[in-house]
Amino acid sequence: MKKIIFAAVFCLFILSACKYGADNPFYPQNSVHFRDTNISHLTSTGFETLPSEYNFVVLTDIHYGALPFQNAPQMPDEVFINWLTNLPAAQKPKFCLILGDVVDYGEDSQYAGFNSLVSRIEAQGVKVFNSIGNHDLYNSGFPKWKANCYPHTSFYDFKTSRFSFYSLDTGSGGPGFEQLASLKSAFASDSNPKIIFTHYPMYASPLQFSMNDTTERNLMMSLFAKNNVKLYLCGHIHVYEKYPIQNFEQYAIPSFLYKGVWAVVNVNETANSYNITFYNKGNVYQP
Protein backbone atom coordinates (compact mmCIF):
# COMPACT_ATOMS: atom_id res chain seq x y z
CA MET A 1 0.00 0.00 0.00
CA LYS A 2 2.83 2.42 0.86
CA LYS A 3 4.39 1.79 -2.55
CA ILE A 4 1.09 2.55 -4.28
CA ILE A 5 0.68 5.82 -2.36
CA PHE A 6 4.26 6.82 -3.10
CA ALA A 7 3.82 6.04 -6.79
CA ALA A 8 0.62 8.08 -6.95
CA VAL A 9 2.23 11.09 -5.26
CA PHE A 10 5.29 10.80 -7.51
CA CYS A 11 3.12 10.70 -10.64
CA LEU A 12 1.19 13.78 -9.51
CA PHE A 13 4.48 15.59 -8.89
CA ILE A 14 5.76 14.73 -12.37
CA LEU A 15 2.50 15.79 -14.03
CA SER A 16 2.50 19.07 -12.12
CA ALA A 17 6.19 19.72 -12.78
CA CYS A 18 5.61 19.42 -16.52
CA LYS A 19 3.28 22.42 -16.31
CA TYR A 20 4.54 24.37 -13.31
CA GLY A 21 8.29 23.92 -13.76
CA ALA A 22 10.53 21.58 -11.79
CA ASP A 23 13.25 24.23 -11.97
CA ASN A 24 11.42 26.51 -9.54
CA PRO A 25 13.37 25.51 -6.40
CA PHE A 26 16.67 26.02 -8.25
CA TYR A 27 15.97 29.21 -10.21
CA PRO A 28 17.46 32.28 -8.47
CA GLN A 29 14.72 34.72 -9.45
CA ASN A 30 12.18 32.56 -7.63
CA SER A 31 13.76 34.16 -4.54
CA VAL A 32 12.62 37.71 -3.82
CA HIS A 33 16.24 38.61 -2.98
CA PHE A 34 17.06 38.45 -6.71
CA ARG A 35 14.12 40.50 -7.98
CA ASP A 36 13.25 44.21 -7.63
CA THR A 37 14.54 45.09 -4.16
CA ASN A 38 14.72 48.87 -4.75
CA ILE A 39 11.42 50.68 -4.92
CA SER A 40 10.37 52.43 -8.14
CA HIS A 41 8.43 55.68 -7.70
CA LEU A 42 5.79 56.18 -10.40
CA THR A 43 5.47 59.92 -10.92
CA SER A 44 3.50 60.28 -14.15
CA THR A 45 0.15 58.66 -13.24
CA GLY A 46 -1.76 61.95 -13.08
CA PHE A 47 -3.53 60.75 -9.92
CA GLU A 48 -2.40 63.81 -7.94
CA THR A 49 -5.40 65.64 -9.45
CA LEU A 50 -8.04 63.06 -8.51
CA PRO A 51 -11.04 64.38 -6.57
CA SER A 52 -11.03 63.92 -2.80
CA GLU A 53 -13.39 60.93 -3.14
CA TYR A 54 -12.95 58.22 -5.78
CA ASN A 55 -13.21 54.47 -6.44
CA PHE A 56 -10.69 51.88 -7.54
CA VAL A 57 -11.30 48.22 -8.39
CA VAL A 58 -9.35 45.17 -7.23
CA LEU A 59 -8.96 41.77 -8.96
CA THR A 60 -6.79 38.88 -7.85
CA ASP A 61 -6.01 35.26 -8.67
CA ILE A 62 -7.17 35.36 -12.27
CA HIS A 63 -5.23 32.19 -13.16
CA TYR A 64 -5.51 32.29 -16.93
CA GLY A 65 -4.89 28.74 -18.20
CA ALA A 66 -5.85 26.90 -14.99
CA LEU A 67 -5.90 23.16 -15.62
CA PRO A 68 -9.12 21.13 -15.86
CA PHE A 69 -8.22 18.92 -12.87
CA GLN A 70 -8.34 22.08 -10.74
CA ASN A 71 -12.06 22.41 -11.53
CA ALA A 72 -11.44 25.81 -13.09
CA PRO A 73 -14.77 27.48 -13.96
CA GLN A 74 -15.41 29.71 -16.95
CA MET A 75 -13.47 32.97 -16.76
CA PRO A 76 -15.86 35.78 -15.65
CA ASP A 77 -14.13 38.37 -17.83
CA GLU A 78 -17.18 39.15 -19.97
CA VAL A 79 -19.35 39.71 -16.90
CA PHE A 80 -16.73 42.01 -15.41
CA ILE A 81 -16.26 44.04 -18.60
CA ASN A 82 -20.03 44.41 -19.03
CA TRP A 83 -20.31 45.62 -15.42
CA LEU A 84 -17.45 48.09 -15.91
CA THR A 85 -18.80 49.37 -19.23
CA ASN A 86 -22.26 50.04 -17.82
CA LEU A 87 -21.16 51.92 -14.69
CA PRO A 88 -22.24 55.58 -14.52
CA ALA A 89 -19.31 57.92 -15.04
CA ALA A 90 -19.37 59.07 -11.41
CA GLN A 91 -18.92 55.46 -10.20
CA LYS A 92 -16.24 54.44 -12.69
CA PRO A 93 -13.05 53.32 -10.92
CA LYS A 94 -10.04 55.56 -11.44
CA PHE A 95 -7.65 52.61 -11.63
CA CYS A 96 -7.48 48.83 -11.19
CA LEU A 97 -5.15 46.86 -8.90
CA ILE A 98 -4.44 43.21 -9.80
CA LEU A 99 -2.91 41.31 -6.89
CA GLY A 100 -1.06 38.49 -8.64
CA ASP A 101 -1.49 35.01 -10.09
CA VAL A 102 -2.58 36.51 -13.39
CA VAL A 103 -1.56 33.27 -15.14
CA ASP A 104 -1.50 29.70 -13.92
CA TYR A 105 1.87 28.49 -15.17
CA GLY A 106 3.19 31.17 -17.51
CA GLU A 107 2.56 30.04 -21.08
CA ASP A 108 2.35 32.69 -23.80
CA SER A 109 -1.27 31.76 -24.52
CA GLN A 110 -2.16 32.50 -20.90
CA TYR A 111 -0.57 35.93 -21.09
CA ALA A 112 -2.45 36.53 -24.34
CA GLY A 113 -5.72 35.98 -22.47
CA PHE A 114 -4.64 38.19 -19.59
CA ASN A 115 -3.42 40.97 -21.88
CA SER A 116 -6.74 40.91 -23.71
CA LEU A 117 -8.54 41.46 -20.39
CA VAL A 118 -6.20 44.34 -19.48
CA SER A 119 -6.76 45.97 -22.88
CA ARG A 120 -10.52 45.86 -22.41
CA ILE A 121 -10.25 47.34 -18.90
CA GLU A 122 -7.99 50.14 -20.06
CA ALA A 123 -10.30 50.86 -23.01
CA GLN A 124 -12.73 52.05 -20.32
CA GLY A 125 -10.16 54.61 -19.13
CA VAL A 126 -9.10 52.50 -16.12
CA LYS A 127 -5.33 52.06 -15.76
CA VAL A 128 -4.21 48.61 -14.55
CA PHE A 129 -1.41 48.12 -11.99
CA ASN A 130 -0.04 44.68 -11.09
CA SER A 131 1.52 42.88 -8.14
CA ILE A 132 3.29 39.54 -8.66
CA GLY A 133 1.97 36.21 -7.37
CA ASN A 134 3.55 32.81 -6.81
CA HIS A 135 1.96 31.28 -9.94
CA ASP A 136 3.46 34.09 -12.01
CA LEU A 137 6.91 32.76 -11.02
CA TYR A 138 6.32 29.21 -12.25
CA ASN A 139 8.48 27.98 -15.11
CA SER A 140 11.08 30.64 -14.26
CA GLY A 141 8.37 33.16 -15.05
CA PHE A 142 9.59 36.44 -13.55
CA PRO A 143 11.03 37.91 -16.79
CA LYS A 144 7.83 37.04 -18.66
CA TRP A 145 5.62 38.53 -15.93
CA LYS A 146 7.76 41.66 -15.89
CA ALA A 147 7.52 42.04 -19.66
CA ASN A 148 3.73 41.63 -19.70
CA CYS A 149 2.56 43.34 -16.51
CA TYR A 150 2.58 47.11 -15.98
CA PRO A 151 4.48 48.86 -14.48
CA HIS A 152 7.08 46.18 -15.30
CA THR A 153 8.51 46.09 -11.78
CA SER A 154 7.41 44.07 -8.77
CA PHE A 155 8.06 46.81 -6.16
CA TYR A 156 6.76 50.35 -6.62
CA ASP A 157 4.58 53.14 -5.32
CA PHE A 158 2.39 55.95 -6.64
CA LYS A 159 0.56 58.85 -5.02
CA THR A 160 -2.72 60.68 -5.21
CA SER A 161 -3.08 64.16 -3.69
CA ARG A 162 -3.18 62.83 -0.10
CA PHE A 163 -2.77 59.02 -0.18
CA SER A 164 0.13 56.75 -1.15
CA PHE A 165 -0.19 53.30 -2.73
CA TYR A 166 2.59 50.70 -2.39
CA SER A 167 2.90 47.39 -4.26
CA LEU A 168 5.10 44.79 -2.54
CA ASP A 169 6.64 41.68 -4.08
CA THR A 170 5.53 38.73 -1.95
CA GLY A 171 5.49 36.23 -4.82
CA SER A 172 7.91 33.94 -2.99
CA GLY A 173 5.91 34.07 0.26
CA GLY A 174 7.40 37.21 1.83
CA PRO A 175 8.99 40.58 1.07
CA GLY A 176 12.62 39.88 2.02
CA PHE A 177 14.74 42.15 4.20
CA GLU A 178 16.07 44.20 1.26
CA GLN A 179 12.57 45.21 0.24
CA LEU A 180 11.65 46.06 3.83
CA ALA A 181 14.73 48.28 4.14
CA SER A 182 13.81 50.13 0.95
CA LEU A 183 10.22 50.46 2.16
CA LYS A 184 11.34 51.88 5.51
CA SER A 185 13.44 54.47 3.69
CA ALA A 186 10.50 55.45 1.46
CA PHE A 187 8.16 55.74 4.45
CA ALA A 188 10.59 58.09 6.20
CA SER A 189 9.75 60.85 3.70
CA ASP A 190 6.08 59.96 3.21
CA SER A 191 3.59 60.92 5.91
CA ASN A 192 0.53 60.20 3.74
CA PRO A 193 -2.07 57.62 4.72
CA LYS A 194 -1.05 54.46 2.86
CA ILE A 195 -2.69 51.53 1.09
CA ILE A 196 -0.52 48.44 0.58
CA PHE A 197 -1.38 45.90 -2.13
CA THR A 198 0.34 42.58 -2.69
CA HIS A 199 -0.31 38.86 -3.16
CA TYR A 200 0.33 37.03 0.11
CA PRO A 201 -1.63 37.72 3.29
CA MET A 202 0.27 38.36 6.51
CA TYR A 203 -2.28 36.17 8.28
CA ALA A 204 -4.62 33.53 6.87
CA SER A 205 -6.75 30.88 8.55
CA PRO A 206 -4.95 28.15 6.56
CA LEU A 207 -1.57 28.97 8.17
CA GLN A 208 0.37 27.45 5.28
CA PHE A 209 -0.95 30.26 3.05
CA SER A 210 0.36 33.05 5.28
CA MET A 211 3.75 34.69 4.88
CA ASN A 212 6.40 32.07 5.46
CA ASP A 213 8.85 34.12 7.53
CA THR A 214 7.31 35.32 10.80
CA THR A 215 10.23 37.68 11.49
CA GLU A 216 9.66 39.50 8.19
CA ARG A 217 5.93 39.58 8.87
CA ASN A 218 6.41 41.07 12.34
CA LEU A 219 8.78 43.70 10.99
CA MET A 220 6.19 44.59 8.34
CA MET A 221 3.42 44.94 10.90
CA SER A 222 5.56 47.19 13.09
CA LEU A 223 6.59 49.31 10.09
CA PHE A 224 2.99 49.66 8.93
CA ALA A 225 1.66 50.51 12.39
CA LYS A 226 4.19 53.34 12.76
CA ASN A 227 3.73 54.83 9.29
CA ASN A 228 0.03 55.53 8.81
CA VAL A 229 -0.89 52.40 6.82
CA LYS A 230 -4.69 52.23 6.61
CA LEU A 231 -5.32 49.15 4.47
CA TYR A 232 -3.49 45.99 3.32
CA LEU A 233 -5.03 44.29 0.27
CA CYS A 234 -4.00 40.75 -0.72
CA GLY A 235 -5.19 37.56 -2.41
CA HIS A 236 -3.64 34.09 -2.68
CA ILE A 237 -6.11 32.19 -0.48
CA HIS A 238 -8.98 32.57 -3.02
CA VAL A 239 -11.55 33.34 -0.32
CA TYR A 240 -12.55 36.38 1.74
CA GLU A 241 -10.89 37.05 5.05
CA LYS A 242 -10.59 40.22 7.10
CA TYR A 243 -8.14 40.80 9.93
CA PRO A 244 -7.68 43.95 12.04
CA ILE A 245 -3.93 44.25 12.63
CA GLN A 246 -2.97 46.93 15.14
CA ASN A 247 -4.25 50.19 13.59
CA PHE A 248 -4.90 48.95 10.05
CA GLU A 249 -6.91 46.18 8.36
CA GLN A 250 -5.97 43.30 6.08
CA TYR A 251 -8.50 42.23 3.45
CA ALA A 252 -7.98 39.05 1.44
CA ILE A 253 -9.95 39.46 -1.80
CA PRO A 254 -11.58 36.28 -3.22
CA SER A 255 -10.35 34.82 -6.52
CA PHE A 256 -11.65 36.40 -9.71
CA LEU A 257 -11.56 33.03 -11.51
CA TYR A 258 -12.65 30.58 -8.83
CA LYS A 259 -15.16 32.80 -6.99
CA GLY A 260 -16.16 35.30 -9.70
CA VAL A 261 -15.47 38.15 -7.27
CA TRP A 262 -13.95 41.61 -7.47
CA ALA A 263 -13.86 44.48 -4.97
CA VAL A 264 -14.46 48.21 -5.29
CA VAL A 265 -12.71 50.43 -2.77
CA ASN A 266 -14.15 53.89 -2.18
CA VAL A 267 -11.57 56.30 -0.77
CA ASN A 268 -12.44 59.58 0.93
CA GLU A 269 -9.15 61.40 1.25
CA THR A 270 -10.65 64.30 3.21
CA ALA A 271 -11.92 61.93 5.89
CA ASN A 272 -8.87 59.59 5.60
CA SER A 273 -11.30 56.71 5.20
CA TYR A 274 -12.24 53.89 2.86
CA ASN A 275 -15.13 51.52 2.27
CA ILE A 276 -15.04 48.18 0.37
CA THR A 277 -17.91 46.73 -1.68
CA PHE A 278 -17.70 43.19 -3.09
CA TYR A 279 -19.26 42.02 -6.34
CA ASN A 280 -20.01 38.44 -7.22
CA LYS A 281 -20.45 38.02 -10.97
CA GLY A 282 -21.67 41.59 -11.21
CA ASN A 283 -23.97 41.69 -8.19
CA VAL A 284 -23.22 43.35 -4.84
CA TYR A 285 -22.91 40.79 -2.09
CA GLN A 286 -21.59 40.34 1.46
CA PRO A 287 -18.80 37.71 1.51
Side-chain angles (χ1 to χ4, degrees), residues 7-262:
V9 171
F10 181 75
C11 288
L12 283 173
F13 172 78
I14 294 298
L15 288 171
S16 296
C18 290
K19 291 295 186 183
Y20 295 104
D23 64 326
N24 285 316
F26 310 105
Y27 179 60
Q29 285 190 324
N30 285 306
S31 167
V32 70
H33 305 289
F34 294 90
R35 295 199 294 272
D36 297 320
T37 55
N38 293 313
I39 192 166
S40 295
H41 302 291
L42 308 185
T43 58
S44 57
T45 62
F47 295 155
E48 296 86 353
T49 59
L50 287 178
S52 60
E53 186 172 359
Y54 56 87
N55 295 334
F56 65 90
V57 65
V58 185
L59 312 179
T60 189
D61 295 274
I62 298 173
H63 288 281
Y64 265 100
L67 298 172
F69 70 76
Q70 296 169 302
N71 297 316
Q74 182 177 352
M75 185 67 67
D77 51 353
E78 296 300 333
V79 175
F80 175 75
I81 294 298
N82 287 338
W83 168 83
L84 183 62
T85 302
N86 292 317
L87 280 177
Q91 298 177 26
K92 192 86 79 174
K94 299 302 182 183
F95 51 89
C96 173
L97 307 181
I98 297 183
L99 309 183
D101 284 0
V102 299
V103 293
D104 205 50
Y105 50 92
E107 289 189 348
D108 289 341
S109 61
Q110 296 171 10
Y111 274 108
F114 172 68
N115 288 331
S116 173
L117 174 61
V118 170
S119 294
R120 287 182 287 166
I121 295 172
E122 294 192 335
Q124 296 298 316
V126 180
K127 185 63 181 176
V128 173
F129 297 83
N130 289 278
S131 297
I132 195 166
N134 56 302
H135 276 254
D136 303 319
L137 294 171
Y138 291 158
N139 289 305
S140 307
F142 180 58
K144 190 174 289 188
W145 177 89
K146 196 168 182 175
N148 281 277
C149 296
Y150 183 83
H152 313 294
T153 174
S154 59
F155 182 28
Y156 60 92
D157 75 314
F158 62 84
K159 291 179 171 59
T160 61
S161 60
R162 299 185 184 182
F163 267 59
S164 297
F165 291 76
Y166 286 82
S167 173
L168 302 186
D169 181 339
T170 60
S172 302
F177 292 116
E178 299 93 342
Q179 207 175 176
L180 288 177
S182 183
L183 195 65
K184 183 178 180 180
S185 178
F187 281 2
S189 59
D190 183 2
S191 61
N192 286 351
K194 299 171 182 68
I195 293 176
I196 311 294
F197 58 105
T198 189
H199 187 63
Y200 264 76
M202 285 184 282
Y203 285 109
S205 53
L207 290 177
Q208 67 271 27
F209 295 119
S210 301
M211 287 189 177
N212 54 26
D213 188 316
T214 56
T215 300
E216 288 182 5
R217 183 189 67 194
N218 292 341
L219 287 171
M220 276 180 67
M221 288 192 298
S222 176
L223 186 63
F224 292 170
K226 294 174 182 177
N227 287 278
N228 206 10
V229 169
K230 297 292 186 183
L231 176 62
Y232 182 94
L233 295 168
C234 57
H236 187 57
I237 60 174
H238 290 194
V239 296
Y240 167 83
E241 284 190 353
K242 175 186 174 183
Y243 282 101
I245 302 175
Q246 298 187 43
N247 54 345
F248 64 95
E249 292 180 311
Q250 172 190 282
Y251 278 84
I253 309 300
S255 168
F256 182 70
L257 172 61
Y258 289 100
K259 301 297 181 182
V261 171
W262 57 90

